[in-house]
Amino acid sequence: MDAIVGLGHFCESHGPCVILSTQRCKEEPQQYPHNLTVPWCESCQSIDLDQSLVSKDEGICYVTTRTPLQQDLAFLLKQAAVRSLSCEETSKEGGTMYFGDSERGHVLSHTFALQDSLARGFHRKYSILILMRDKAKAAQINGVEQTQCSQRAVRQAQGSPSSPARSLSQLTGEPAVFAHLHMWFTWLLSVEPVVEKPSNAPEIAISCSPGTLRLLYKTMAKNVFRTVCYCILTGIRIEVENDEILQTFCQLLPNKWALPKTGEICKLEKVDGKWAVDWSGCLPSRLPRLQTLTEEALQNENLTEGVLQSYLTGAILHWRNVARTISWISAPSQELFQALGVQKFDLPLLAYWTA
């Protein structure tokens, strides 16, 4: 017993319509859909009428198109969508129901709504439809029996049969029907429900609490903060009496980062109550991208501390991954740098981070 599965949608412009359908075929179709008038707008959009999605499994093709390949099935599925989305009521939240007959097909429908602040009623209504032409194989077997010998005439002439009971396998003409049911029931029980489980994923190697960092950004002169930030990110030693200040800037580095113990020094100290730096070097005309993003985020008052923390954590993690990628390759090419979005002004940071 074959079925066709469809996705229906209640469009504010076109009413109930089918926007996607999947059916089983013996081979991939060579031509697509029939000349059926199909509504089309942003709300109804799925795939083009001349497009298809095809999956193959042991010689069977599963084909998804905008509407069914056969015009009669397209008409029946359209009727099912209308009935599911306009006529039959379950609840405001949606639900599952059955309707149909031998002429219009038998339909299992599950309706649901998605929130949309721009739609009427602030939601859009959809339904998943399963359409079957035959209710059960028992109808086929019974039809054959009645054609060969009318049981009504026999029963009227002979009375009730001596052994009226027949099994499900006899009624359906499927000797292995219980084996099939076993496989279907087993599959249903084997499908694991969606449950929340604790994740064993490793912790993110970034610990950024931007509240203190933003406070330093506001407290220090712009050139002082920028100099210390640049030195931290590019591996230049910072000397400061207050270790908490150093740890605040170190939040811009991955966890457990080894700070340089040799090389040039940038001294950070307070002079007449104001922060000042003493460094023999000079800032480049363009700073590393991570530093630019950090400064822009810190001065954006619209970013709450929680949002700022997520933003900076993501930015630091991105450049950590870029550095790791480069470190795995013995001779990185210019093409690799371009693919990773690395510019010339990012190289001082990467030289330190890959070391």
Side-chain angles (χ1 to χ4, degrees):
M1 178 173 61
D2 281 342
I4 184 168
V5 182
L7 178 63
H9 168 52
F10 192 95
C11 175
E12 295 178 359
S13 301
H14 305 107
C17 57
V18 177
I19 60 175
L20 208 66
S21 65
T22 302
Q23 59 192 113
R24 186 166 63 175
C25 304
K26 292 183 178 179
E27 57 184 20
E28 185 176 351
Q30 299 301 315
Q31 59 182 7
Y32 298 102
H34 40 75
N35 298 322
L36 186 68
T37 302
V38 178
W40 189 265
C41 66
E42 286 294 325
S43 180
C44 303
Q45 185 176 2
S46 59
I47 60 176
D48 294 338
L49 282 172
D50 57 352
Q51 287 183 323
S52 67
L53 306 175
V54 180
S55 296
K56 296 182 179 180
D57 181 20
E58 296 182 355
I60 300 296
C61 291
Y62 297 89
V63 182
T64 294
T65 50
R66 178 69 163 78
T67 60
L69 300 173
Q70 298 82 10
Q71 190 159 350
D72 58 338
L73 283 179
F75 177 74
L76 292 177
L77 195 61
K78 165 71 173 179
Q79 283 189 321
V82 171
R83 191 165 176 180
S84 172
L85 295 165
S86 297
C87 304
E88 306 291 347
E89 287 292 335
T90 52
S91 67
K92 292 183 178 180
E93 292 77 21
T96 304
M97 57 186 167
Y98 161 81
F99 54 84
D101 51 49
S102 57
E103 293 183 0
R104 290 177 292 184
H106 303 274
V107 179
L108 285 174
S109 166
H110 178 74
T111 59
F112 59 96
L114 299 180
Q115 293 182 346
D116 184 352
S117 60
L118 301 181
R120 296 177 187 173
F122 305 105
H123 73 275
R124 297 190 183 277
K125 197 172 180 182
Y126 293 86
S127 66
I128 297 174
L129 305 161
I130 302 177
L131 171 67
M132 294 157 283
R133 301 294 291 270
D134 297 318
K135 188 173 184 180
K137 288 192 174 181
Q140 301 176 8
I141 300 300
N142 184 66
V144 173
E145 289 181 348
Q146 294 302 318
T147 302
Q148 295 175 348
C149 179
S150 174
Q151 292 299 311
R152 179 180 292 275
V154 172
R155 295 276 296 274
Q156 288 176 345
Q158 300 178 357
S160 299
S162 57
S163 179
R166 290 195 288 180
S167 69
L168 182 61
S169 60
Q170 291 174 310
L171 291 175
T172 58
E174 282 283 352
V177 64
F178 295 107
H180 293 163
L181 288 173
H182 163 74
M183 291 187 294
W184 294 330
F185 290 172
T186 300
W187 179 83
L188 286 173
L189 292 176
S190 67
V191 176
E192 186 176 358
V194 178
V195 294
E196 185 175 353
K197 293 184 177 180
S199 173
N200 294 323
E203 294 183 1
I204 297 178
I206 309 295
S207 298
C208 183
S209 300
T212 53
L213 194 63
R214 176 177 268 174
L215 182 62
L216 284 180
Y217 181 80
K218 293 179 179 179
T219 304
M220 292 181 174
K222 186 175 181 180
N223 68 307
V224 173
F225 181 92
R226 181 167 291 178
T227 300
V228 178
C229 188
Y230 179 80
C231 291
I232 281 287
L233 291 176
T234 58
I236 298 171
R237 282 197 298 162
I238 302 293
E239 282 192 359
V240 58
E241 292 183 0
N242 190 340
D243 188 60
E244 292 183 2
I245 300 295
L246 179 62
Q247 293 305 317
T248 298
F249 280 101
C250 285
Q251 292 182 104
L252 297 176
L253 300 172
N255 293 345
K256 300 179 181 179
W257 199 258
L259 298 176
K261 296 181 179 180
T262 59
E264 58 180 314
I265 299 174
C266 174
K267 292 184 179 180
L268 176 63
E269 56 186 353
K270 274 194 172 182
V271 178
D272 297 331
K274 295 183 179 179
W275 288 107
V277 288
D278 181 11
W279 178 43
S280 59
C282 59
L283 292 173
S285 58
R286 295 197 64 177
L287 300 169
R289 192 85 50 82
L290 177 57
Q291 181 169 350
T292 304
L293 293 174
T294 299
E295 292 187 21
E296 290 176 351
L298 291 174
Q299 69 184 0
N300 187 348
E301 295 294 341
N302 294 323
L303 298 181
T304 64
E305 185 168 338
V307 174
L308 182 62
Q309 179 177 353
S310 299
Y311 178 80
L312 291 181
T313 299
I316 299 167
L317 190 61
H318 168 76
W319 284 101
R320 173 178 177 266
N321 293 336
V322 170
R324 278 193 168 186
T325 302
I326 294 175
S327 66
W328 291 335
I329 299 174
S330 57
S333 63
Q334 185 62 33
E335 288 76 12
L336 176 63
F337 285 139
Q338 291 178 353
L340 295 175
V342 175
Q343 300 290 335
K344 186 176 180 180
F345 45 82
D346 297 315
L347 296 181
L349 179 147
L350 291 174
Y352 172 44
W353 286 38
T354 55

